[in-house]
Amino acid sequence: MVSWCVAILRRIVGKMAGGANEKPYVDVPTNAVNQKLVRDPVCGLHLAPGLALPLKQGAETLYFCSAECRDKYENGRQKLSASA
Ligand SMILES: [Zn+2]
């Protein structure tokens, strides 16, 4: 009796929270589906621009699913240019 209730709750909470401490999975709401999806260049996840973290790269804007991915991308660039 309790177990199925927990299973359903887990499914609902899991959808909202995603993983525990990994990058938060963004469940795209239906009103955002009509928007053009952008692709996270780090993990390859497709997401709505309104839910993504934008990062200006000159003329273009890159979008990331999480600060973790954005940091990864920025760190990668910094290593390439050998600064700091
Ligand atoms: Zn990502």
Side-chain angles (χ1 to χ4, degrees):
M1 194 63 185
V2 178
S3 59
W4 67 261
C5 212
V6 172
I8 289 168
L9 272 176
R10 271 223 188 103
R11 205 168 297 168
I12 294 166
V13 173
K15 241 185 194 168
M16 293 190 300
N21 49 15
E22 269 302 300
K23 45 187 169 262
Y25 173 74
V26 180
D27 197 14
V28 180
T30 43
N31 64 358
V33 171
N34 292 331
Q35 295 178 35
K36 202 175 119 199
L37 294 181
V38 293
R39 188 172 168 276
D40 182 326
V42 175
C43 68
L45 192 78
H46 287 83
L47 59 162
L51 300 171
L53 289 174
L55 177 69
K56 279 244 158 93
Q57 286 292 308
E60 63 175 337
T61 304
L62 295 169
Y63 293 92
F64 299 89
C65 69
S66 66
E68 189 183 300
C69 279
R70 193 183 59 185
D71 287 351
K72 256 186 212 167
Y73 183 85
E74 284 183 315
N75 288 340
R77 281 180 60 86
Q78 276 165 20
K79 262 174 208 156
L80 284 177
S81 57
S83 63

